[in-house]
Amino acid sequence: DSNGNVFRGYAQGNAIVNQGEKLPTGTYYYVVEYLYDRDGENQWVKKVGYLHLENND
């Protein structure tokens, strides 16, 4: 949670189909990039991986 930036299982971002709707159950590939300040030096960090969601609606 960085400044309220929390994933809640809803479609969001640029050019997203069904923006604002809950994502269906499935496995998703994610890419997260952020700027990290380490002892006064900024560096870009990139994290990638898989996330499995269960939509119980």
Side-chain angles (χ1 to χ4, degrees):
D1 183 14
S2 177
N3 299 319
N5 188 12
V6 177
F7 178 70
R8 292 186 172 91
Y10 288 87
Q12 60 188 52
N14 297 329
I16 300 295
V17 175
N18 299 330
Q19 176 94 7
E21 293 183 17
K22 267 191 167 180
L23 294 167
T25 295
T27 301
Y28 294 84
Y29 182 76
Y30 67 86
V31 178
V32 176
E33 293 182 283
Y34 58 93
L35 190 58
Y36 180 71
D37 181 352
R38 182 177 187 143
D39 300 326
E41 290 187 36
N42 290 329
Q43 69 184 90
W44 281 101
V45 177
K46 183 176 183 178
K47 302 284 184 176
V48 299
Y50 292 93
L51 173 70
H52 182 79
L53 292 179
E54 291 289 329
N55 185 340
N56 296 322
D57 283 347

